[in-house]
Amino acid sequence: MPEIQFCLLPDACRPLLGKFYREHQSSMRAASKGQAWVAKQEEIIGALCLTPVADGHWLTGLFVAPPLRGNAVAQRLIDAALLPLSGPVWLFCHPDLQGFYRLAGFETAQRLPQALGERLMRYSRSKPLVALHREA
């Protein structure tokens, strides 16, 4: 099995990310702005997006192909994507995923930038979410 590569996806290849999510019937979408990071093993096997917000970034769209889960692909992808960053990184997740994100160094967010606070209130109307943050 080829080694997993973790890299920034060039903007010209962004449609491949949408295709990856659709192939796995994921509700995730590629953010239109910011960076898309992928884990590749010949094909994309995992992805996430980082959108600049306030003095940090908002992490969205983290998804690993189901057959490869449990192999630390998500953890390694997060670490690779956050390595070149400075400042805080925020994300929203279902409460059941807090343990996973804690292992990745995230903590409950005490404060959010206004734009994310408004999104969290809006999104929380239809599903339970928690806001987490990590210093990159």
Side-chain angles (χ1 to χ4, degrees):
M1 188 176 284
E3 188 174 325
I4 300 172
Q5 298 175 323
F6 301 91
C7 58
L8 187 60
L9 188 68
D11 283 340
C13 297
R14 198 172 287 257
L16 295 174
L17 187 51
K19 180 182 176 194
F20 166 71
Y21 290 138
R22 284 189 306 277
E23 283 176 351
H24 294 285
Q25 290 88 42
S26 170
S27 61
M28 301 296 177
R29 285 190 244 155
S32 59
K33 297 178 182 174
Q35 302 175 350
W37 279 79
V38 295
K40 294 189 324 186
Q41 233 178 7
E42 296 176 10
E43 297 181 351
I44 296 173
I45 61 167
L48 64 77
C49 296
L50 291 166
T51 304
V53 62
D55 58 345
H57 290 82
W58 184 32
L59 189 156
T60 60
L62 177 61
F63 185 84
V64 173
L68 294 161
R69 291 180 184 166
N71 294 306
V73 173
Q75 173 68 52
R76 292 169 56 204
L77 178 58
I78 291 169
D79 289 343
L82 272 51
L83 186 64
L85 301 180
S86 62
V89 176
W90 296 277
L91 62 84
F92 304 154
C93 71
H94 188 278
D96 291 348
L97 294 173
Q98 280 183 287
F100 165 78
Y101 284 110
R102 287 199 193 287
L103 292 174
F106 286 85
E107 302 173 343
T108 302
Q110 300 303 320
R111 283 190 258 149
L112 291 171
Q114 182 177 351
L116 290 182
E118 291 169 359
R119 273 184 202 256
L120 180 61
M121 286 194 324
R122 198 167 56 246
Y123 295 171
S124 293
R125 291 180 193 145
S126 60
K127 56 188 161 193
L129 290 173
V130 293
L132 303 178
H133 112 286
R134 169 179 157 175
E135 285 298 321

